[in-house]
């Protein structure tokens, strides 16, 4: 199996990347390398596989067979251990100019294994304005063997000067049937569960995998989709918002707790905690106090980011729910993400108008924008649930 075979439902992008990888090999051999460039921008909706496509392309650039999927180069890329591949995952709310400048310096180094030096920048849209300007300079004048792979939801999420210098690879949401097939064949998920998870995840393969394999993930989705029916009064709206935010906080804490402890332990060891020798331990720990404070600040930012990501995923589930309501109201023959809640969809469709449904979808999208603008999650979600309130239900 080649590295591009994992790109579910992305056949067109896979063809483009295969050709570019072959052109890259031609360029290294002294040819023209037509179709290869040093800056790429992978775009697509959540679940489309932006990072997976970028990683597959990186493997194809390193691999002497342009991504065979089984050689040492491909394996190293798949586990993230290739010495010439730098993967950047912004953990906090943004990615600053200091981090970007350090990244640019690392990217300027010569490849260890003699082919390419690749920087895979996930969520590149989180770069601040200053960081984006620094990144632009690196993309404009890259070293001859450095390749930048940027990932963002849409081209407009990046500065126009950056995207104009990148070759754009547009990915799409995989069809439900393709995601269900992957779950059934690779994860041994029963067909009924695979179809449910693929449909409920709106084509997002990682989320579909969690829904298929994790009962808690299914319970959280059930709790989110029960919100519309629970909004029978102002008090219920406030309580629903509190539950949603509290659930996000608990999930974020669970996700980050293990990471935080491991990072703090490693940092303390680096600065000499537990070392022997007169005055050695105290001096090194004192010297690491600033580094420890910086780490704690980054961990707080990561926890905030994780909490907002969890809330955003819940909001997308609500958008899909009301989209289904709208489809029922218009009698559209569409695949419903919430087919398992058809009774609720039909009740709400009868009790409201399409204009009501569109207003509710707008309220959810407004909440997403407010969260992106750092509005308090509790305030943003409360405002949304009050807007979703429907006294007749």
């Amino acid at each position: 199996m080649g590295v591009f075979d994992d790109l579910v439902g992305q056949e067109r992008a896979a063809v483009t990347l295969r050709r570019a990888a072959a052109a890259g090999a031609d360029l290294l051999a002294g040819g023209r390398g037509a179709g290869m460039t040093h800056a790429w921008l992978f775009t697509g909706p959540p679940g489309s596989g932006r990072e997976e496509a970028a990683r597959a392309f990186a493997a194809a650039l390193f691999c002497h067979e342009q991504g065979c999927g089984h050689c040492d180069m491909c394996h190293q890329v798949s586990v993230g251990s290739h010495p010439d591949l730098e993967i950047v995952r912004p953990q906090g709310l943004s990615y600053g100019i200091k981090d970007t400048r350090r990244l640019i310096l690392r990217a300027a180094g010569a490849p260890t294994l003699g082919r390419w030096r690749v920087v895979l920048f996930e969520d590149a849209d989180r770069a601040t304005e200053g960081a984006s300007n620094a990144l632009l300079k690196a993309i404009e004048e890259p070293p001859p063997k450095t390749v930048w792979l940027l990932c963002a939801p849409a081209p407009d999420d990046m500065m126009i000067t950056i995207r104009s210098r990148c070759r754009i690879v547009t990915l799409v949401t995989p069809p439900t049937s393709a995601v269900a097939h992957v779950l059934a064949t690779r994860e041994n998920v029963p067909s009924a569960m695979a179809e449910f998870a693929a449909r409920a995840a709106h084509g997002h393969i990682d989320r579909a995998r969690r829904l298929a394999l994790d009962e808690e993930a299914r319970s959280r989705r059930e709790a989110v989709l029960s919100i519309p029916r629970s909004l029978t009064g102002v008090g219920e709206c406030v309580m629903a918002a509190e539950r949603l935010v509290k659930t996000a906080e608990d999930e974020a804490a669970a996700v980050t707790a293990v990471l935080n402890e491991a990072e703090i332990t490693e940092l303390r060891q680096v600065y000499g905690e537990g070392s022997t020798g007169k005055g050695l331990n105290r001096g090194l720990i004192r010297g690491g106090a600033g580094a420890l404070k910086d780490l704690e600040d980054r961990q707080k930012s990561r926890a905030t980011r994780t909490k907002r990501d969890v809330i955003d995923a819940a909001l997308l589930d609500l958008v899909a729910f009301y989209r289904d309501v709208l489809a029922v109201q218009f009698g559209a023959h569409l695949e419903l993400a919430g087919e398992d809640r058809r009774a609720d969809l039909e009740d709400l469709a009868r009790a409201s108008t399409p204009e009501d449904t569109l207003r509710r979808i707008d309220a959810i999208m407004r909440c997403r924008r407010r969260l992106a603008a750092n509005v308090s999650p509790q305030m943003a979600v409360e405002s949304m649930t009050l807007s979703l309130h429907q006294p007749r239900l």
Side-chain angles (χ1 to χ4, degrees), residues 125-172:
D125 53 304
R126 292 187 188 176
T128 63
E129 183 177 357
S132 295
N133 285 325
L135 184 61
L136 172 63
K137 186 69 175 175
I139 289 175
E140 283 180 325
E141 301 174 5
K145 291 189 176 182
T146 296
V147 180
W148 290 86
L149 310 180
L150 312 180
C151 301
D156 289 347
D157 291 323
M158 302 299 296
M159 284 175 44
I160 187 170
T161 45
I162 288 181
R163 67 175 185 261
S164 67
R165 288 161 175 78
C166 295
R167 183 171 180 185
I168 298 177
V169 178
T170 303
L171 305 172
V172 297

Side-chain angles (χ1 to χ4, degrees), residues 33 57 94 100 107 160 177 201 205 236 253 293 348 350:
F57 184 46
S94 62
T100 302
I160 187 170
S177 57
I205 191 164
E236 287 77 9
K293 178 65 168 61
L348 186 53
R350 286 192 295 268

